[in-house]
C-alpha cells in the first residue's frame, strides 16, 4: 500500500476515535440503565428507589421541553440585546455629530432631535422617533428625553446635554463634540481589545486542527516511507 493511500486511513483513525468515544460511553450507559430497569421490574424485587425518584422523573419528562425552550430564548434574547447595544454604540457618534450640525445651524434641541430622527442611522433614529412620538402624544420634551434615557442608558449623557440646553440655554455644540469624541475613543478601545482577543481564539484551531494535520501530512509519510524500506 502506498503512502498516499495510508494517509487518509491515518487521518480517519485519528479523528474517528475521539469522536466515537462519547457515543460508545453513551451506549454503555444506556445498556446499563436498560439492565437496571429490567432487574427492577422483575417480580419479587422491591421498587424503593424508582418510587423515590418517580415524581422527579415525571416532572422532568413533563417540563424538559419548556426548560430547554426557555434557555434557548434567554440566550437568543441576550445575544439580540448585545447586538442592539453594539449597533447603538457604533452609530451614536454619527448621530451626535448630526445633532451638533443641526444645533450649530440654529435649530432648537427639539428641532435638532427631529432632524436626527430623520437622518440618523436606524439604531439611534429609533430612539429619537420615540421622543418625537411621545411629544406628539402630549408629553413634554424633557420627560420624553428622560423616558428614552431610562430605556436606553447609553443615551443618558446625550439626553442630559440636550436637557441642559433646553432648560438653561447652555451652548450644546462643544458638549456634543466632546461626547462624539468620547464615543469614538470608546469604540477604538473596544476594537483594540477585540483584536487582542483574536490570537487567544486562534489557539484552539491551531493546536487541535492545523498542527495535527501538518504532522500527519509531513511527518507520517516520511516515517511510513522509512519503515517501508526496512
Amino acid at each position: 500500500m502506498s503512502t498516499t493511500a495510508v494517509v487518509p486511513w491515518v487521518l480517519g483513525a485519528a479523528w474517528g476515535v475521539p469522536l466515537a468515544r462519547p457515543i460508545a460511553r453513551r451506549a454503555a450507559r444506556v445498556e446499563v440503565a436498560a439492565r437496571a430497569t429490567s432487574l427492577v421490574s422483575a417480580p419479587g424485587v422491591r421498587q424503593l428507589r424508582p418510587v423515590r425518584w418517580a415524581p422527579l422523573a415525571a416532572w422532568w419528562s413533563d417540563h424538559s421541553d419548556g426548560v430547554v425552550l426557555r434557555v434557548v430564548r434567554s440566550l437568543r434574547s441576550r445575544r439580540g440585546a448585545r447586538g442592539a447595544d453594539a449597533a447603538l454604540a457604533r452609530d451614536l457618534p454619527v448621530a451626535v455629530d448630526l445633532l451638533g450640525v443641526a444645533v450649530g445651524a440654529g435649530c432648537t434641541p427639539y428641532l435638532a432631535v427631529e432632524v436626527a430622527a430623520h437622518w440618523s442611522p436606524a439604531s439611534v433614529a429609533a430612539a429619537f422617533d420615540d421622543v418625537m412620538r411621545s411629544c406628539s402624544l402630549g408629553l413634554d420634551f424633557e420627560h420624553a428625553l428622560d423616558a428614552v434615557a431610562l430605556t436606553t442608558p447609553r443615551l443618558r449623557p446625550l439626553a442630559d446635554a440636550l436637557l441642559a440646553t433646553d432648560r438653561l440655554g447652555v451652548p450644546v455644540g462643544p458638549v456634543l463634540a466632546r461626547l462624539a469624541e468620547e464615543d469614538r475613543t470608546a469604540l477604538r478601545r473596544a476594537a483594540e481589545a477585540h483584536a487582542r482577543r483574536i490570537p487567544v481564539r486562534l489557539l484552539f484551531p491551531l493546536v487541535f486542527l492545523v498542527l495535527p494535520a501538518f504532522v500527519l501530512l509531513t511527518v507520517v509519510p516520511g516515517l511510513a516511507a522509512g519503515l517501508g524500506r526496512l
Side-chain angles (χ1 to χ4, degrees):
M1 183 179 295
S2 63
T3 303
T4 57
V6 172
V7 172
W9 289 95
V10 175
L11 289 173
W15 289 104
V17 172
L19 293 175
R21 183 176 297 176
I23 300 176
R25 291 179 178 177
R26 176 64 178 172
R29 288 197 296 268
V30 171
E31 184 179 0
V32 171
R35 291 180 179 177
T37 303
S38 62
L39 290 175
V40 170
S41 60
V45 178
R46 298 179 63 185
Q47 300 182 359
L48 295 178
R49 188 173 298 276
V51 171
R52 178 182 178 183
W53 295 105
L56 180 60
W59 179 89
W60 176 253
S61 62
D62 293 337
H63 296 81
S64 58
D65 295 338
V67 171
V68 172
L69 288 177
R70 284 196 296 270
V71 171
V72 171
R73 290 172 182 171
S74 176
L75 293 176
R76 185 177 298 176
S77 63
R78 290 180 182 178
R79 181 176 298 179
R82 286 196 298 267
D85 187 69
L88 181 62
R90 184 177 60 252
D91 298 335
L92 188 57
V94 179
V96 174
D97 287 338
L98 184 58
L99 285 171
V101 171
V103 171
C107 294
T108 62
Y110 178 85
L111 294 178
V113 171
E114 186 177 4
V115 171
H118 184 70
W119 296 104
S120 294
S123 59
V124 190
F128 292 155
D129 284 334
D130 291 339
V131 175
M132 302 309 299
R133 189 179 302 109
S134 299
C135 292
S136 65
L137 294 176
L139 191 66
D140 60 288
F141 184 65
E142 178 181 351
H143 289 87
L145 278 178
D146 279 335
V148 171
L150 286 175
T151 57
T152 310
R154 191 176 288 274
L155 296 177
R156 170 55 67 182
L158 179 59
D160 291 339
L162 293 176
L163 288 176
T165 300
D166 187 61
R167 294 170 183 168
L168 306 175
V170 179
V172 75
V175 179
L176 293 178
R178 179 177 55 82
L179 289 177
E181 184 62 27
E182 290 178 354
D183 291 335
R184 289 191 175 90
T185 302
L187 284 176
R188 184 167 59 252
R189 290 175 179 173
E192 292 174 354
H194 180 73
R196 287 194 295 267
R197 288 195 298 267
I198 291 178
V200 179
R201 296 181 178 181
L202 291 177
L203 286 178
F204 177 81
L206 178 64
V207 173
F208 294 99
L209 298 177
V210 177
L211 291 181
F214 176 78
V215 171
L216 291 174
L217 293 176
T218 58
V219 179
V220 173
L223 292 177
L227 294 175
R229 297 191 186 97
L230 297 179

